[in-house]
C-alpha cells in the first residue's frame, strides 16, 4: 500500500509521539485498565453480548459450567483468535482460546491435540483456566487476564509491578470486551441482535508493534465517523488495522474515505 507523502509524515509523527508517551506514561495506562476491569467485574454477570458471535453455544455452555461471564470468554476469543478454531500461534497456542500445547492443554486434562482443536472443548478449557486464575487472583480480572497471557508464575497475586507486555494484554482484551458489549458503539443499536461481522473487515495497514496500531486507530478514528476502525494481533506477532463494516454500503463509504486519505 502506497501512502501519499503528507499522510505518511502525519502518521509517522503521530506514531512516534504516541510511542514515547506509551513508554513514559505506562503507569497511567495501567491504572486506567485496572479500574475498567474493576468496573466491569461489578456487573459482569448481568452483561450480554451485543452481537451473535460464532460458536455462541460453546461460550454459553462454558460460561454456565464455570460461573464466568459469557462476555469475558467472547472477548478473550476475539482477541486471541478472532473466532478462528484452527488458529495457531508461533508459541504453539491453538484454537479459539489459544490454549498452549502441550503444557497448558495437558494441565487442563487435554491429552490429544485433536481435543484442543475442537471448538467447544477449546472454549471450555479456556474457561476452566480463566476460572482457575480468577480464583488465584481473588477475582482480580486485571491480573487474571495478565496471567492468562504471561502465566501465573510471572504475575504476583498482589502488589509488585506487572510486566509491560502483561499490562498491554490486559488492556488489549478490554478493547475486545468493549466490542463484545457494544458492537460498533458509533452505530445506532438495533432491537434485533445482528450477526458478528468478524469476517467483514477491510485491511488498512500492518504494524509490528501494538502501540503503533493503537495510535494509528486513535488518530484516524475521528475521520471515519460512525465507521469503526479496529486492530488485531496476528499469529506471527504482527498487528493489522482494519475497517469493520456490516454491509456493502458501509464498505463503500469506508473505501471512499480511505481513498481520499491516500490509502490505495
Amino acid at each position: 500500500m502506497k501512502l501519499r507523502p503528507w499522510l505518511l509524515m502525519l502518521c509517522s509523527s503521530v506514531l512516534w509521539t504516541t510511542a514515547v508517551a506509551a513508554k513514559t506514561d505506562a503507569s497511567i495506562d495501567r491504572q486506567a485498565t485496572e479500574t475498567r476491569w474493576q468496573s466491569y467485574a461489578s456487573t459482569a454477570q448481568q452483561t450480554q453480548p451485543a452481537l451473535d458471535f460464532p460458536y455462541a453455544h460453546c461460550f454459553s455452555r462454558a460460561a454456565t459450567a464455570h460461573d464466568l461471564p459469557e462476555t469475558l470468554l467472547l472477548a478473550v476469543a476475539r482477541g486471541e483468535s478472532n473466532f478462528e478454531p484452527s488458529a495457531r500461534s508461533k508459541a504453539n497456542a491453538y484454537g479459539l482460546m489459544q490454549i498452549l500445547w502441550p503444557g497448558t492443554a495437558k494441565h487442563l486434562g487435554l491429552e490429544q491435540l485433536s481435543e484442543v482443536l475442537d471448538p467447544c472443548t477449546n472454549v471450555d478449557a479456556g474457561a476452566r483456566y480463566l476460572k482457575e486464575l480468577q480464583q488465584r487472583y481473588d477475582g482480580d480480572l486485571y491480573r487474571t487476564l495478565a496471567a492468562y497471557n504471561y502465566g501465573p508464575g510471572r504475575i504476583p497475586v498482589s502488589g509488585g509491578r506487572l510486566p509491560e507486555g502483561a499490562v498491554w494484554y490486559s488492556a488489549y482484551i478490554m478493547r475486545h470486551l468493549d466490542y463484545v458489549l457494544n458492537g460498533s458503539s458509533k452505530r445506532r443499536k438495533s432491537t434485533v441482535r445482528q450477526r458478528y461481522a468478524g469476517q467483514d473487515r477491510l485491511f488498512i495497514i500492518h504494524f509490528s508493534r501494538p502501540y503503533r496500531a493503537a495510535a494509528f486507530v486513535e488518530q484516524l478514528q475521528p475521520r471515519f465517523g460512525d465507521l469503526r476502525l479496529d486492530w488485531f494481533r496476528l499469529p506471527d506477532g504482527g498487528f493489522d488495522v482494519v475497517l469493520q463494516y456490516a454491509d456493502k454500503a458501509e464498505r463503500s463509504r469506508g473505501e471512499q474515505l480511505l481513498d481520499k486519505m491516500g490509502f490505495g
Side-chain angles (χ1 to χ4, degrees):
M1 176 178 294
K2 186 176 181 181
L3 304 184
R4 293 176 186 168
W6 69 268
L7 181 58
L8 183 59
M9 292 178 63
L10 172 64
C11 292
S12 298
S13 174
V14 168
L15 296 178
W16 182 86
T17 302
T18 307
V20 172
K23 291 178 179 179
T24 56
D25 297 330
S27 60
I28 298 176
D29 294 337
R30 179 179 292 107
Q31 185 175 358
T33 301
E34 188 170 8
T35 299
R36 290 187 69 188
W37 277 118
Q38 290 171 349
S39 177
Y40 167 73
S42 66
T43 58
Q45 292 293 359
Q46 286 74 53
T47 58
Q48 295 291 328
L51 304 168
D52 280 331
F53 288 92
Y55 306 101
H57 63 292
C58 300
F59 291 98
S60 177
R61 187 186 308 163
T64 300
H66 303 291
D67 191 28
L68 285 171
E70 182 180 352
T71 51
L72 175 64
L73 300 184
L74 288 165
V76 172
R78 187 173 191 258
E80 287 284 0
S81 68
N82 196 30
F83 303 103
E84 174 51 62
S86 62
R88 176 186 177 182
S89 75
K90 294 189 296 185
N92 269 354
Y94 288 84
L96 296 174
M97 304 292 281
Q98 289 290 276
I99 305 299
L100 194 64
W101 174 263
T104 304
K106 293 198 172 183
H107 167 74
L108 296 168
L110 305 182
E111 297 295 332
Q112 303 293 329
L113 184 56
S114 59
E115 295 178 278
V116 182
L117 291 172
D118 175 76
C120 282
T121 302
N122 188 285
V123 171
D124 183 79
R128 281 191 286 125
Y129 192 43
L130 281 167
K131 188 66 177 182
E132 178 183 313
L133 294 172
Q134 183 190 45
Q135 292 172 339
R136 173 184 174 87
Y137 295 100
D138 195 27
D140 186 338
L141 291 180
Y142 170 67
R143 290 177 186 262
T144 294
L145 271 299
Y148 188 88
N149 180 244
Y150 254 57
R154 302 172 67 184
I155 305 299
V157 173
S158 62
R161 186 177 180 86
L162 272 60
E164 188 174 315
V167 173
W168 169 82
Y169 180 81
S170 193
Y172 174 70
I173 297 301
M174 173 56 72
R175 177 180 178 82
H176 289 288
L177 177 65
D178 178 67
Y179 187 94
V180 168
L181 293 174
N182 301 305
S184 179
S185 59
K186 304 180 182 304
R187 191 179 301 130
R188 183 176 298 175
K189 286 183 170 58
S190 169
T191 55
V192 179
R193 187 182 293 178
Q194 298 179 352
R195 176 184 62 85
Y196 172 58
Q199 67 274 31
D200 296 335
R201 301 184 299 173
L202 184 62
F203 171 79
I204 299 177
I205 195 169
H206 177 83
F207 292 102
S208 60
R209 296 290 184 269
Y211 63 80
R212 292 188 181 278
F216 188 88
V217 169
E218 182 180 356
Q219 173 67 17
L220 294 190
Q221 179 63 75
R223 300 171 182 238
F224 284 82
D226 63 344
L227 296 177
R228 179 170 180 145
L229 300 181
D230 211 341
W231 56 277
F232 287 85
R233 184 178 63 175
L234 303 177
D236 66 1
F239 301 85
D240 277 357
V241 174
V242 301
L243 169 73
Q244 299 272 177
Y245 62 91
D247 51 40
K248 291 181 179 179
E250 285 192 351
R251 174 174 177 133
S252 178
R253 280 202 295 136
E255 289 175 331
Q256 290 174 19
L257 283 168
L258 289 168
D259 184 62
K260 288 180 180 178
M261 295 173 61
F263 294 89

